[in-house]
Amino acid sequence: MIGGLFKRWRNPPNTTEDEVRRLYDSVPVTLLTGFLGSGKTTLLNDILNEPAMQGTGVIVNEFGTVPIDHDLVRKGSETYFRTTTGCICCTATSDIRSSLSELHEARLRGDIPPVSRVVIETTGLADPAPIINSIIPGGAPAMGLRDHVVARHFHLAGVVTTFDVLEGRTTLNSFMEGWKQLAFADHVVLTKTDIADGDHDWPDELRTLNPAAIYHDRHRQDFHLSGLFGNGAYSASSKVEDVPGWLAMERLGTHGDHAHDLNRHGDEIEAISLSHHVPLSPQAVETFLNIVTSNVGSGLLRLKGLFALTDDPTRPMVAHAVQHRLYPLQRLDRWPNEDRYSRVVLIGQGMPAKPIRDLFKVLAPRTARARWGGA
């Protein structure tokens, strides 16, 4: 019976029978990448709402000290969910392996239902190489028994990358992370095609970077989420020659024991994390959002916010912006958790931090502003 299963299963190239047996006994992990504002969290919500995708565990990495994404994921009460924050270049290996180890232990204790797959959503600034190396055989070295347990019970099955067709060219022209996210992908999901002008052949253009990927239009009627997931093993050898090279360079490199500002990525990109613990005027919040997004030269790359408003503090407002494009504001039916305060994260390059902080400070009512100590 087992032999018949092995014959029918499509083995990745150079996969031994022992490796095939390990795959049958481990949980497939899918890496969900994509640049800032490309629609990863929206796609993740669709995955968690799809009945056929029940049993999915989720790990989310966020950039900045005030996490927002985990509040925007509509996770079920039985969904295993873990959030990590900080510098992805240095914490990826330890945080991802630690999260997978915690999931495995929770399964053994019976704290959560069986998990049939895991999705790891990365920050939009993530280089996929260190994360992939932390999961694939022969990647980052094991640092203890925990890492060996993770290698035994989980394997990287694939990489899915979201690509924003509105801002895609700007991303590829300005950020190496965007190029690498596409190059590592097995599946590329084209987003915002429903509001893009013209009939551009993005798959044809992007195949010059990754000819092996399968390209999906998120808004086509024949798009199926289940097509993004498999149980086999991720293979870097089928990608452009840069991919194995990037993985090898990451294995040879070392970040050492050094501290990082959790709100910074490299020398140029930073996150400004702001919060208010009192309800805010809807008009004042909209004015703030319009000002910080309308200045094309402000350096803003991404804005995510959750606001408590005076007209109905029980229904928070969600704000999204990508560069200078502010998307329609939405009200939720209820708060996602007990943290019922306004918070917003702006990620950008050379942003005028002090004016932004000062502008946000005056959003609070005057009585509360006197107690406001910054964020």
Side-chain angles (χ1 to χ4, degrees), residues 23-350:
L23 293 180
Y24 271 110
D25 194 34
S26 69
V27 177
V29 177
T30 298
L31 190 64
L32 176 57
T33 73
F35 202 70
L36 298 166
S38 62
K40 295 185 300 299
T41 302
T42 300
L43 184 64
L44 180 58
N45 276 327
D46 291 340
I47 291 169
L48 295 180
N49 288 330
E50 175 65 37
M53 303 301 291
Q54 288 184 357
T56 299
V58 178
I59 299 171
V60 174
N61 178 264
E62 298 200 55
F63 178 47
T65 55
V66 177
I68 297 288
D69 282 344
H70 79 287
D71 288 328
L72 302 180
V73 176
R74 297 188 294 272
K75 47 191 177 291
S77 59
E78 295 185 345
T79 301
Y80 174 86
F81 189 86
R82 172 78 153 77
T83 303
T84 67
T85 60
C87 176
I88 193 69
C89 73
C90 300
T91 65
T93 298
S94 61
D95 279 2
I96 297 304
R97 287 178 173 175
S98 175
S99 297
L100 291 173
S101 177
E102 290 176 9
L103 188 157
H104 177 65
E105 292 297 325
R107 285 197 304 163
L108 292 181
R109 293 192 304 267
D111 294 344
I112 60 173
V115 173
S116 57
R117 72 186 64 81
V118 177
V119 176
I120 300 175
E121 181 193 1
T122 74
T123 170
L125 296 167
D127 178 347
I131 307 174
I132 291 174
N133 267 334
S134 72
I135 308 174
I136 62 175
M143 305 304 292
L145 177 61
R146 178 204 67 184
D147 292 351
H148 288 291
V149 171
V150 168
R152 173 66 179 81
H153 292 283
F154 299 91
H155 69 276
L156 183 64
V159 177
V160 176
T161 298
T162 53
F163 182 81
D164 176 355
V165 301
L166 297 179
E167 308 293 344
R169 284 197 182 90
T170 300
T171 297
L172 295 180
N173 289 337
S174 304
F175 298 97
M176 187 63 178
E177 293 91 342
W179 282 95
K180 295 178 80 170
Q181 290 164 1
L182 278 169
F184 278 96
D186 297 300
H187 297 270
V188 176
V189 180
L190 305 174
T191 63
K192 305 178 186 177
T193 55
D194 58 328
I195 56 176
D197 295 329
D199 186 19
H200 188 80
D201 190 348
W202 280 105
D204 184 64
E205 182 170 328
L206 296 176
R207 283 191 184 98
T208 60
L209 175 63
N210 187 341
I214 301 173
Y215 292 85
H216 310 261
D217 186 333
R218 176 68 189 85
H219 299 283
R220 283 180 58 100
Q221 290 186 346
D222 58 357
F223 173 71
H224 296 291
L225 291 167
S226 58
L228 304 178
F229 298 89
N231 295 321
Y234 177 78
S235 173
S237 62
S238 64
K239 308 297 185 292
V240 292
E241 62 183 12
D242 287 339
V243 167
W246 282 326
L247 291 173
M249 288 175 61
E250 181 63 32
R251 288 192 286 269
L252 292 173
T254 177
H255 298 292
D257 295 327
H258 58 288
H260 270 292
D261 182 342
L262 295 183
N263 285 311
R264 298 197 68 85
H265 177 80
D267 296 328
E268 298 179 347
I269 298 179
E270 65 175 328
I272 300 175
S273 303
L274 306 168
S275 61
H276 273 306
H277 288 266
V278 295
L280 307 175
S281 160
Q283 294 76 21
V285 171
E286 290 189 29
T287 298
F288 168 80
L289 294 171
N290 285 319
I291 289 175
V292 297
T293 58
S294 61
N295 185 351
V296 178
S298 67
L300 179 69
L301 295 173
R302 183 75 166 101
L303 178 150
K304 296 175 288 184
L306 197 62
F307 296 92
L309 302 181
T310 53
D311 61 347
D312 187 353
T314 66
R315 300 180 61 240
M317 182 178 75
V318 178
H320 288 284
V322 179
Q323 298 185 33
H324 59 278
R325 184 189 299 272
L326 177 64
Y327 289 90
L329 305 175
Q330 297 180 327
R331 297 293 286 262
L332 301 181
D333 293 333
R334 58 185 179 277
W335 286 90
N337 53 43
E338 296 304 316
D339 297 328
R340 302 187 176 191
Y341 66 94
S342 298
R343 57 264 202 193
V344 59
V345 173
L346 301 91
I347 301 172
Q349 207 167 17

